[in-house]
Amino acid sequence: MHDGRHKTRDAESARPAECLPVPRRDLVPRLFLERIPRDFAREHLLLAQETTNGQLRIAVGPEVDPLVLHNVGVRLGCPLEPVLSDPEGIASVIDESYGAESAADPAWGGAAADSGDSLPDLEDLIQKADRDLLSTRGKAPVIQLVDSLLLDALGRRASDVHIQPVEESSLVRYRIDGLLLSVRELPRKLHPAVLSRIKVMGRMDIAEQRIPQDGRATVTIGHRRIDLRISTLPTSHGERAVLRLLDSQSELTAFEDLGMPKDVATRFLEHAQRAHGMVLLTGPTGSGKTTTLYATLRRIGSPELNVMTIEDPIEYALSTDGLTISQAQVNTKKGVTFATGLRHLLRQDPDVVMVGEIRDAETARIAIQSSLTGHLVFSTLHTNDAPSAVTRLIDLGVEAYLVSASLSAVCAQRLVRKIHPSCEGRGCEGCFQTGFFGRTGLFELLSMNADLRDLVGKGAALSEIRQAAAANGLRSLREEGLRQVEARQTTRAEMERAVQGES
């Protein structure tokens, strides 16, 4: 680069005079990408924009050095017109532009991401990204590396990808069938570049590394469209990132595939197909409650019913196969909570309403009142078993007589990993040597009857409600787990892990 030591006067005159909110990738001239190193553009946050008259404007941040602008003009062989732009936007478009330029070069193997699911070998990409990290075109391997990690995670049926820095490396872990598994280590010096790429994808502030950030993105990996929910968090060894993967092209679980025993399924659907009342799903986070609700809504949905949901967030689109289910999303920044969203839903003449979660007294009261005024209401609670949902509602401040009158059924559930049939539990490459592949549900169904309603209305103790429920046919989660163990669907240790703490 020209040092510009004798051009101080000209450099001082190259001050930005206009404002450009965000530069455009389609206006970045190839000449700029060929002659200005990516790392130089990134360090000084500048990016050329071609104008209709053939002149070059250059998007810059507020702290740009005039001498740097002069050097770029000399390198490009033409005068530049600097315009102020958003620094984060400049950085994002720089990464996109240089990544696209490198991906178009066959020597860098970038075409694989668009031609199918055969991206380059991960280990080769790690070595290439490590070797070329500081080069002009060093971002293409990092972009491919992140894409390949996501594609590999999807192929392994992972729900989450964890990128965690440790003292001498960066761990990549996948959550598969509910458990975190370490799959590989990346060179420690690759970690900042990988995190920057993830932040660019999530439209997050790549310059901010001191506070947690959240982002969302929709990306295409091969032929698959993937929705990402991204979270970053500063730690003692650097920022870590977690990416939740939502494959919009994966098929939703059918009700018949949930693993619900036939007698339980028959009674559950009887409650789920009534004209009114409240049906609750309970269990800890990650126990499959939303999957069961989605499968239930798809099973009972029909063109004659107005089915509406309020969720946080919407995980999968339910309006398929002729169903017209309207899904709304919580937006606390705009004042849309579960309670306010439910109020608005009730003005839309619904027959069936699904509330993602009952978190507070207001939501509980509105849901119960809705079920008492001719609506069928589905929702979830965080309780350990089905009978505890009754006392949880009362603890939230709902009168016992209202719970007694509105509650139709409560289904508690857990997920257990299934023994891998290919290796019969011994462990193989296909199951990461765990011996498990896929998951199935354990279900505990509390069906309200006259005796139970009487007990609940009187404010009976939880132990009395449990005894009455057992007399009415409730089988506990542990009993259901033992049946799965006897059927060789899972192991005793896995069942105990899933239902630990249950009586």
Side-chain angles (χ1 to χ4, degrees):
M1 302 293 286
H2 193 285
D3 63 10
R5 285 177 292 181
H6 303 296
K7 302 294 183 180
T8 305
R9 182 177 300 175
D10 292 340
E12 287 298 330
S13 66
R15 296 287 186 183
E18 297 183 52
C19 288
L20 180 70
V22 178
R24 287 169 47 185
R25 174 179 159 185
D26 61 317
L27 293 181
V28 179
R30 187 179 183 87
L31 177 69
F32 183 88
L33 299 176
E34 291 175 345
R35 297 192 179 181
I36 304 301
R38 182 260 172 210
D39 299 300
F40 184 88
R42 199 68 166 65
E43 178 184 355
H44 298 288
L45 285 178
L46 45 83
L47 188 67
Q49 298 278 274
E50 194 162 9
T51 58
T52 54
N53 60 6
Q55 293 183 340
L56 288 184
R57 306 170 84 195
I58 186 160
V60 297
E63 305 298 326
V64 65
D65 186 339
L67 288 175
V68 169
L69 286 178
H70 172 75
N71 280 347
V72 171
V74 171
R75 183 71 169 174
L76 297 178
C78 63
L80 301 176
E81 178 191 353
V83 289
L84 284 174
S85 185
D86 172 50
E88 183 180 344
I90 296 175
S92 177
V93 179
I94 286 174
D95 285 344
E96 292 175 4
S97 300
Y98 281 89
E101 176 72 7
S102 298
D105 185 342
W108 283 73
D114 298 321
S115 61
D117 288 352
S118 56
L119 287 174
D121 180 78
L122 266 173
E123 300 306 324
D124 289 345
L125 278 175
I126 292 170
Q127 293 177 14
K128 182 183 288 186
D130 189 19
R131 181 175 64 249
D132 297 322
L133 178 62
L134 299 179
S135 73
T136 300
R137 313 185 77 171
K139 280 302 167 183
V142 172
I143 293 172
Q144 280 196 295
L145 172 59
V146 173
D147 288 351
S148 296
L149 286 173
L150 294 177
L151 188 58
D152 181 54
L154 289 167
R156 298 284 189 174
R157 303 173 297 105
S159 61
D160 303 83
V161 176
H162 291 233
I163 311 291
Q164 180 180 352
V166 291
E167 189 169 351
E168 297 182 352
S169 63
S170 181
L171 295 181
V172 179
R173 300 194 290 172
Y174 299 161
R175 187 173 294 280
I176 301 174
D177 294 334
L179 268 68
L180 270 178
L181 299 174
S182 295
V183 294
R184 59 179 38 85
E185 292 187 14
L186 302 178
R188 184 65 175 84
K189 61 182 178 181
L190 268 184
H191 185 79
V194 170
L195 261 289
S196 292
R197 172 58 185 163
I198 290 171
K199 286 182 176 181
V200 168
M201 294 167 65
R203 298 186 181 277
M204 301 154 74
D205 185 353
I206 60 175
E208 180 56 74
Q209 301 177 6
R210 298 166 298 177
I211 61 174
Q213 294 188 66
D214 294 309
R216 296 189 179 189
T218 299
V219 297
T220 300
I221 307 295
H223 296 303
R224 305 172 75 171
R225 183 175 177 274
I226 310 299
D227 294 323
L228 304 176
R229 295 210 306 273
I230 304 170
S231 171
T232 63
L233 180 73
T235 71
S236 57
H237 291 294
E239 282 185 292
R240 60 170 292 164
V242 175
L243 298 87
R244 169 66 54 89
L245 309 181
L246 300 173
D247 187 353
S248 58
Q249 291 177 281
S250 66
E251 293 187 5
L252 293 174
T253 304
F255 185 85
E256 293 75 16
D257 296 331
L258 293 173
M260 198 176 283
K262 187 174 181 179
D263 60 327
V264 175
T266 300
R267 288 187 292 137
F268 179 82
L269 286 175
E270 190 273 324
H271 293 287
Q273 291 171 326
R274 292 182 179 178
H276 57 84
M278 185 161 66
V279 177
L280 296 177
L281 274 293
T282 74
T285 299
S287 60
K289 302 185 295 296
T290 300
T291 299
T292 299
L293 281 176
Y294 277 11
T296 302
L297 291 179
R298 285 168 56 85
R299 175 64 180 267
I300 68 173
S302 72
E304 293 77 28
L305 289 176
N306 182 15
V307 182
M308 306 190 72
T309 76
I310 177 72
E311 307 173 52
D312 183 24
I314 297 172
E315 295 194 12
Y316 293 98
L318 293 174
S319 294
T320 57
D321 301 328
L323 298 181
T324 53
I325 298 175
S326 298
Q327 296 171 266
Q329 184 160 304
V330 166
N331 188 335
T332 53
K333 291 182 179 179
K334 296 185 178 179
V336 181
T337 63
F338 278 122
T340 59
L342 179 53
R343 280 201 181 95
H344 288 293
L345 256 61
L346 294 173
R347 297 170 190 157
Q348 296 286 312
D349 187 30
D351 298 297
V352 180
V353 173
M354 190 268 271
V355 184
E357 183 181 345
I358 293 178
R359 297 175 178 173
D360 51 50
E362 184 181 14
T363 307
R365 286 182 177 278
I366 300 171
I368 285 177
Q369 290 293 344
S370 303
S371 69
L372 293 173
T373 54
H375 302 91
L376 179 61
V377 179
F378 293 91
S379 192
T380 69
L381 275 176
H382 287 280
T383 62
N384 286 332
D385 60 12
S388 297
V390 175
T391 53
R392 172 63 176 154
L393 290 172
I394 295 173
D395 290 342
L396 283 173
V398 181
E399 289 81 355
Y401 74 90
L402 289 177
V403 177
S404 171
S406 63
L407 196 58
S408 178
V410 182
C411 184
Q413 73 175 80
R414 297 292 190 277
L415 293 175
V416 292
R417 293 180 295 170
K418 295 189 295 185
I419 293 174
H420 191 192
S422 297
C423 63
E424 295 185 346
R426 290 190 300 271
C428 63
E429 183 178 348
C431 61
F432 273 110
Q433 307 299 330
T434 63
F436 297 99
F437 191 92
R439 290 187 290 179
T440 189
L442 304 180
F443 300 90
E444 173 185 284
L445 182 64
L446 169 67
S447 298
M448 296 294 288
N449 62 6
D451 291 339
L452 280 168
R453 293 188 191 282
D454 185 53
L455 284 173
V456 173
K458 293 177 180 177
L462 178 57
S463 57
E464 294 181 76
I465 296 173
R466 281 200 178 108
Q467 290 176 358
N472 190 39
L474 176 143
R475 293 195 301 269
S476 71
L477 289 168
R478 184 173 294 277
E479 289 175 304
E480 288 296 328
L482 288 172
R483 288 176 55 170
Q484 294 278 12
V485 173
E486 292 171 2
R488 290 291 298 158
Q489 289 295 304
T490 191
T491 65
R492 179 65 179 256
E494 172 64 9
M495 183 275 291
E496 293 289 353
R497 182 193 65 81
V499 303
Q500 59 185 341
E502 303 303 314
S503 57

